[in-house]
Amino acid sequence: MKKRLPDIWVALLLAAGSLWLYAPALKCDFVDYDDPVYVTENPWVLQGITPGTVRAAFRERVSGNWHPLTMLSHLLDVSLFGVKPAGHHAHNLLLHAANVALLYGVLRALTGARWPSAVVAALFAAHPLNVESVAWISERKNLVSTFWWLAAIGAHAGQAKKTGRGPALATLAAFVLALAAKPM
């Protein structure tokens, strides 16, 4: 009897592969385009997480956008890493790896097809369009929004199999969080 690789291991391998692929971004600096507006020259973000900056994340528009969840993630980074770009880049890499694993899980749940789902997730992990979102700190909004968008799809897929309000509320909550990360 053949042993099959459990889905969690497939997801972890895909996430590890995306971390390996984008690891060079850890050596990058901030980008002069938008990173100053979002992080390096934003006076309230430079304070890190405080009651006032958390309120600002929900009140302030940054570069014309209202995306409090993304700004909270920048506040967290400044609190943890200061204005050293490696930590901010590491956060982006971890978010992308989580998105890759989540995409695999959602596709696997929707289709039941293990290896086609893994191939799609691997192509997503390595697709050149993701380089900007992973390597550019101020583009974190794409990563955070994608995470919650995928979570909403996964919750919706689960909702089709269950009754009650719980799954519907989980879908709605994930959708709202996706919009709070990037207004699109």
Side-chain angles (χ1 to χ4, degrees), residues 42-64:
N42 186 317
W44 60 271
V45 171
L46 289 173
Q47 296 174 45
I49 295 177
T50 69
T53 60
V54 169
R55 278 191 301 277
F58 285 90
R59 291 181 181 164
E60 300 290 329
R61 292 181 183 265
V62 178
S63 197

Side-chain angles (χ1 to χ4, degrees), residues 2-14 100-123:
K2 273 197 321 192
K3 283 190 174 186
R4 297 192 328 163
L5 193 61
D7 287 328
I8 188 70
W9 287 108
V10 175
L12 288 172
L13 285 170
L14 288 163
V100 170
L102 188 54
L103 176 60
Y104 169 73
V106 167
L107 292 174
R108 178 79 165 107
L110 288 172
T111 67
R114 172 177 282 128
W115 297 117
S117 298
V119 168
V120 170
L123 290 171

Side-chain angles (χ1 to χ4, degrees), residues 28-71:
C28 294
D29 205 347
F30 289 99
V31 176
D32 286 338
Y33 187 77
D34 278 353
D35 284 352
V37 173
Y38 278 82
V39 180
T40 61
E41 294 177 12
N42 186 317
W44 60 271
V45 171
L46 289 173
Q47 296 174 45
I49 295 177
T50 69
T53 60
V54 169
R55 278 191 301 277
F58 285 90
R59 291 181 181 164
E60 300 290 329
R61 292 181 183 265
V62 178
S63 197
N65 296 306
W66 180 82
H67 39 38
L69 201 55
T70 298
M71 296 313 297

Side-chain angles (χ1 to χ4, degrees), residues 133-148:
S133 296
V134 177
W136 186 10
I137 291 163
S138 61
E139 279 302 303
R140 177 171 304 154
K141 56 190 164 275
N142 291 336
L143 299 168
V144 177
S145 178
T146 298
F147 179 85
W148 291 109

